[in-house]
Amino acid sequence: MSTPLLLAQLLDDAAVFPPGSATLSDAVAAHREHRRAWYAQLVGPLLVPASQLPELGPLLAEGEELAVGVIADGPAADCFATPPAGVRTVQVEAAMARRGEDPSPPLRDFLQLVRDSGVRGYAEIPLAWGLLAALDVLAQARATGLPVSAKFRTGGLAAELFPTPMELAAVIIACHERELPFKLTAGLHHAIRHTDPETGFTHHGFLNVLAAACAAAEGVEVTEVAGLLATTQPLTLIEAVRSRRTNQRPLWVGFGTCSIPEPLADLQKLGLLDGRA
């Protein structure tokens, strides 16, 4: 069967980033196979660090085209460099500040880079001081036609980098109120909320986030959105997603994953994708 519209391009291919840390050559080869597979509509662009963008050219076959998202691993301006022949930059993503820092000055610079290039930009805003003001700036820029959206981290190497269900629900509601799409990164390893037995960190489930984003877009209160993020009951989430499967995905653009097979397997196990033609 074809990928439901609700799930289209949910997964950006972040194979070269930790914890997967594939070589660029292996990532390009694997992404090529993803684009040919029955689940191709589920997969977004290959994500590459800006510093590795020039290395993509020799990895492409003659006449091949590759859509990429460029992630800042240095100055944000590096993301907007001209890519090699055959490579097309479809989005750029850059962190605006560390936790506790004011994201406003780098955000203004980033918006100007997006304005000059016309490439879609995702500004990563810390879930900390300055968040709402930064979202206001993004929403105002978007209202003028600038192709910008927000990006948030939902995990990391420390417990405090995992927002609580209520914290994430408040951010989703804030984006809904501003008609501001958002991306997520880090920690979304599986469909359902779960605790990693090795680290003890409780991870958000990407199906939880999908159900929560749909509910927020329909005007549900923050406590109910938080409840969807907090639940570990698969049937609740399966029904929430299945009933909306023919709709476009609201608010949430998607997330980067270093392993396309893992979320794919979860979706199949939950009966939301079956792989039949």
Side-chain angles (χ1 to χ4, degrees):
M1 70 178 191
S2 62
T3 300
L5 185 60
L6 189 66
L7 301 176
Q9 294 193 309
L10 178 66
L11 311 177
D12 281 359
D13 187 353
V16 301
F17 292 89
S21 303
T23 66
L24 191 60
S25 177
D26 287 347
V28 169
H31 187 75
R32 193 178 286 127
E33 294 305 310
H34 296 322
R35 303 306 308 169
R36 295 170 179 164
W38 63 268
Y39 55 84
Q41 293 175 326
L42 186 68
V43 183
L46 178 68
L47 303 183
V48 297
S51 62
Q52 294 187 36
L53 186 62
E55 301 172 27
L56 284 171
L59 300 178
L60 302 186
E62 185 176 354
E64 183 179 9
E65 294 186 357
L66 179 66
V68 301
V70 182
I71 313 298
D73 57 348
D78 293 350
C79 294
F80 297 88
T82 301
V87 178
R88 180 167 57 93
T89 300
V90 296
Q91 63 196 48
V92 298
E93 307 176 20
M96 298 296 101
R98 297 183 178 90
R99 289 173 67 89
E101 295 179 344
D102 183 2
S104 297
L107 179 56
R108 287 193 295 269
D109 293 341
F110 183 71
L111 293 179
Q112 187 59 53
L113 290 167
V114 172
R115 187 173 290 109
D116 292 341
S117 69
V119 176
R120 182 169 303 279
Y122 291 93
E124 183 182 319
I125 310 297
L127 301 182
W129 177 78
L131 169 65
L132 294 182
L135 296 185
D136 286 338
V137 171
L138 278 172
Q140 291 163 7
R142 187 174 176 83
T144 68
L146 204 63
V148 290
S149 301
K151 178 182 174 182
F152 310 110
R153 302 192 76 82
T154 50
L157 299 177
E160 62 267 22
L161 298 179
F162 291 79
T164 67
M166 184 58 76
E167 288 170 338
L168 186 54
V171 169
I172 292 174
I173 293 289
C175 287
H176 166 62
E177 292 173 344
R178 293 162 175 78
E179 299 182 349
L180 183 64
F182 64 92
K183 280 194 68 178
L184 297 177
T185 187
L188 295 173
H189 295 168
H190 291 288
I192 309 297
R193 183 174 176 83
H194 65 284
T195 299
D196 187 319
E198 293 186 6
T199 65
F201 298 154
T202 299
H203 291 245
H204 290 284
F206 66 81
L207 209 61
N208 296 74
V209 175
L210 182 54
C214 289
E218 294 166 5
V220 169
E221 294 294 327
V222 66
T223 53
E224 189 171 341
V225 174
L228 288 168
L229 290 169
T231 187
T232 57
Q233 299 301 315
L235 291 179
T236 300
L237 300 173
I238 290 170
E239 179 53 33
V241 170
R242 185 171 282 149
S243 64
R244 299 173 173 92
R245 65 193 310 276
T246 60
N247 300 340
Q248 288 191 332
R249 189 167 58 256
L251 291 176
W252 188 29
V253 178
F255 68 105
T257 174
C258 65
S259 171
I260 297 295
E262 283 186 0
L264 175 63
D266 277 8
L267 289 169
Q268 290 180 287
K269 184 167 68 175
L270 295 169
L272 297 172
L273 283 176
D274 64 16
R276 292 179 297 184

